[in-house]
Amino acid sequence: EGLHNKIVQALEKEPLSNWTLSVSPSHAFDFKTGCLSSLKYLNNEDYDLRTESSLAYLLAVVHSSWQHAGFNQLCGILDLLKEKLIPIISTEEQMLFVLHMVGPFLQRLHTDRFMRVLFDLTIQLYELLLRVDRSVPHLKYMDTVCDLLYHIK
């Protein structure tokens, strides 16, 4: 529950609620390139190292927690997405964060034969895309989203 609250908090505040970072979301979410390349921006007063690296660290904690999760905890991903995350998501960057968070576990759900959860989670991801598409004038990261959705089919 505490980790889920941290995820909600990250989605509700900047930069995810209003993207202001000078790097792309994929760069900010990548633990290796995001955190290491942050060092070159230290002299830039407009750059907030804590914001960028905190997103990568949160993703790393989520991934490590869910990697060791059992069936009930993995089923909780669906409830988290449906009940807490989708209602607060309105930006493309928020959606990309969720896709970066959930995407790596789709294969595990398939491998472990959690098919009902996988199907329902896929439906929720498409619902999320629809919600964001209706709230932004233009999708900037369509290729990234399409790449993930292509592999789900």
Side-chain angles (χ1 to χ4, degrees):
E1 187 68 33
L3 183 57
H4 292 182
N5 291 337
K6 287 285 191 190
I7 295 166
V8 170
Q9 288 172 3
L11 288 169
E12 289 179 327
K13 65 181 185 177
E14 287 190 9
L16 292 175
S17 65
N18 180 26
W19 196 257
T20 56
L21 296 179
S22 59
V23 296
S24 72
S26 294
H27 180 85
F29 303 156
D30 187 295
F31 188 77
K32 186 176 180 184
T33 60
C35 291
L36 292 179
S37 68
S38 297
L39 298 176
K40 72 180 179 180
Y41 291 104
L42 286 176
N43 293 327
N44 182 346
E45 58 195 46
D46 296 330
Y47 187 79
D48 188 356
L49 172 66
R50 292 167 295 143
T51 301
E52 181 179 338
S53 62
S54 69
L55 295 173
Y57 278 109
L58 180 57
L59 278 173
V61 170
V62 168
H63 288 166
S64 40
S65 297
W66 289 354
Q67 183 62 36
H68 298 288
F71 175 75
N72 289 336
Q73 290 170 313
L74 285 177
C75 291
I77 296 172
L78 177 61
D79 295 333
L80 171 68
L81 187 62
K82 189 186 299 187
E83 296 169 10
K84 291 187 176 182
L85 303 185
I86 289 180
I88 63 170
I89 293 175
S90 60
T91 70
E92 197 172 0
E93 291 80 13
Q94 289 171 320
M95 177 182 68
L96 288 174
F97 186 80
V98 169
L99 294 177
H100 273 78
M101 189 172 54
V102 172
F105 296 93
L106 298 175
Q107 181 63 42
R108 178 167 177 211
L109 291 169
H110 183 267
T111 302
D112 291 352
R113 301 274 186 228
F114 301 151
M115 301 310 280
R116 185 82 225 139
V117 176
L118 178 60
F119 293 145
D120 291 343
L121 192 57
T122 302
I123 290 168
Q124 291 305 310
L125 293 177
Y126 276 96
E127 291 289 333
L128 176 60
L129 176 59
L130 179 62
R131 179 180 173 88
V132 170
D133 185 43
R134 288 180 175 165
S135 69
V136 299
H138 175 73
L139 292 173
K140 298 175 282 196
Y141 306 104
M142 180 69 78
D143 290 342
T144 303
V145 174
C146 288
D147 287 346
L148 175 71
L149 297 178
Y150 174 81
H151 291 288
I152 291 176
K153 69 176 184 129

